[in-house]
Amino acid sequence: MSTIFRILTAALIWLPTAVFAAADEWRVVKATDQVKYTVDRTNWLDLRAGEVVPNRAWVSTGPRGRVQLSRGVESVTFQPNTVAAITTNESAVMKTQIYQQVGALDLEIEKRSQPHTTVQTPYLAAVVKGTIFHVTVGKAKASVSVDRGLVQVTSFASGQRSNVAPGQSATVDKKAGMTVAGRLSKPEITSVAPSVAQIPAVGTTKLAGATPDATSSSSATSGNTSSSASDVDDSGNGNGSSNSSSSSGNGHSGGNGNGNSGGNGNSGGNGSNGNSGDSGNNGNGSGNSGGNGNGNSGKGDNNGGGNGNGNSGGNGKGKDK
């Protein structure tokens, strides 16, 4: 599976487990190579033109992936880097629920007398009777723009609602709430009771079985994005390295390791050759916090003790910058 699918699937969530009744099927009209689907949130299969998408299956597109699904006169097109699922329950008021966690969807929904389709995102819900509209979901906001018809957009956290007409749009930011725009006029915003989204934002929930090295892109956030630290111990021995005083190594406060801010290890250990400073204060170690080695800012011994050369003290050797 390509990296983009690891990125996008790292944040997938559990859908409601209600059993859905049989209904008209969503079929693939056309698809590129980078399109996959899953029914168990673990195993991903290629999705090709002519195939039927199982009810409640998650569909994921890669950076060059696009897929168009159709059901009668209705269609949903997934743009690149999109993750969404379509569920159908003929016995429910809202017969079709589209769960869009990230990316962009272009939708054409059949016009009926009553609203029958809802798009659920982490920040807003869009309810439609029949229309052509577009929904885009990012890491911190979602937006709806309408080409034809009328879409009711509700912001969960801020408790705001707006009926968006053709040429208008509504954007919901998780911090700023709802803003609206329009070519000729802006839609009005009314107040409603705040509510809770049915799906979380990207990066807040990990898909069962997702690969441990999954990371986030602009549309999906999860994985190894912070500075690393392995086998952390207050007095362990080991070698590590990092830049600008960041910590990544195997010992924090003593032991044998090399660091950047005071030698060649993060938190102490056996290093060599301090860069500047006078003799140490407390011990004979090198490294930032203790141990044996050399540090950047001191000839001699480490801050917290040990034998060798360290940042702030000791009886070792070093040279001034």
Side-chain angles (χ1 to χ4, degrees):
M1 184 181 294
S2 65
T3 301
I4 187 61
F5 291 110
R6 296 192 185 100
I7 290 173
L8 292 177
T9 61
L12 283 184
I13 51 84
W14 170 88
L15 280 177
T17 56
V19 176
F20 291 90
D24 293 340
E25 298 170 322
W26 288 94
R27 188 175 295 273
V28 180
V29 176
K30 50 188 175 182
T32 64
D33 291 337
Q34 294 184 334
V35 180
K36 294 183 182 294
Y37 77 96
T38 181
V39 294
D40 60 5
R41 308 186 304 280
T42 300
N43 300 302
W44 288 83
L45 303 173
D46 292 327
L47 194 57
R48 299 180 175 89
E51 295 182 340
V52 171
V53 180
N55 197 22
R56 302 175 64 245
W58 283 100
V59 176
S60 174
T61 58
R64 296 180 301 279
R66 287 180 175 84
V67 60
Q68 180 183 355
L69 310 181
S70 69
R71 183 181 63 180
V73 299
E74 299 180 319
S75 70
V76 178
T77 300
F78 290 60
Q79 297 298 332
N81 296 332
T82 297
V83 178
I86 305 177
T87 72
T88 303
N89 183 357
E90 287 296 332
S91 63
V93 175
M94 289 295 170
K95 300 183 185 301
T96 301
Q97 296 268 7
I98 300 173
Y99 296 88
Q100 181 181 353
Q101 194 168 42
V102 69
L105 295 179
D106 303 322
L107 305 100
E108 183 170 359
I109 303 300
E110 180 184 10
K111 185 175 182 179
R112 300 181 188 176
S113 59
Q114 297 294 325
H116 58 92
T117 298
T118 300
V119 181
Q120 298 282 347
T121 79
Y123 310 108
L124 62 81
V127 179
V128 298
K129 289 184 178 180
T131 184
I132 297 176
F133 66 110
H134 314 275
V135 181
T136 303
V137 181
K139 294 168 60 177
K141 63 182 180 180
S143 62
V144 175
S145 61
V146 177
D147 293 343
R148 187 184 70 196
L150 192 68
V151 178
Q152 182 188 82
V153 178
T154 302
S155 170
F156 298 122
S158 62
Q160 295 169 292
R161 177 171 292 170
S162 182
N163 291 319
V164 183
Q168 297 178 336
S169 64
T171 299
V172 175
D173 183 277
K174 68 178 182 180
K175 293 183 179 179
M178 179 182 289
T179 57
V180 293
R183 289 196 296 264
L184 299 177
S185 62
K186 295 181 181 180
E188 295 182 358
I189 297 177
T190 59
S191 297
V192 296
S195 55
V196 178
Q198 294 188 29
I199 62 174
V202 166
T204 58
T205 302
K206 188 175 180 180
L207 172 68
T211 55
D213 61 339
T215 58
S216 69
S217 65
S218 60
S219 299
T221 304
S222 176
N224 302 327
T225 57
S226 60
S227 60
S228 61
S230 59
D231 300 329
V232 175
D233 194 298
D234 280 341
S235 60
N237 299 321
N239 296 322
S241 66
S242 89
N243 296 322
S244 302
S245 302
S246 62
S247 64
S248 117
N250 296 330
H252 275 188
S253 306
N256 302 321
N258 298 322
N260 287 335
S261 301
N264 300 323
N266 287 336
S267 301
N270 293 325
S272 62
N273 301 328
N275 291 330
S276 67
D278 295 327
S279 46
N281 294 330
N282 293 327
N284 297 323
S286 70
N288 291 335
S289 303
N292 301 320
N294 297 324
N296 288 332
S297 52
K299 287 181 179 179
D301 299 327
N302 196 354
N303 292 335
N307 297 318
N309 296 325
N311 290 337
S312 303
N315 298 319
K317 296 177 179 181
K319 57 183 179 181
D320 291 333
K321 292 183 179 180

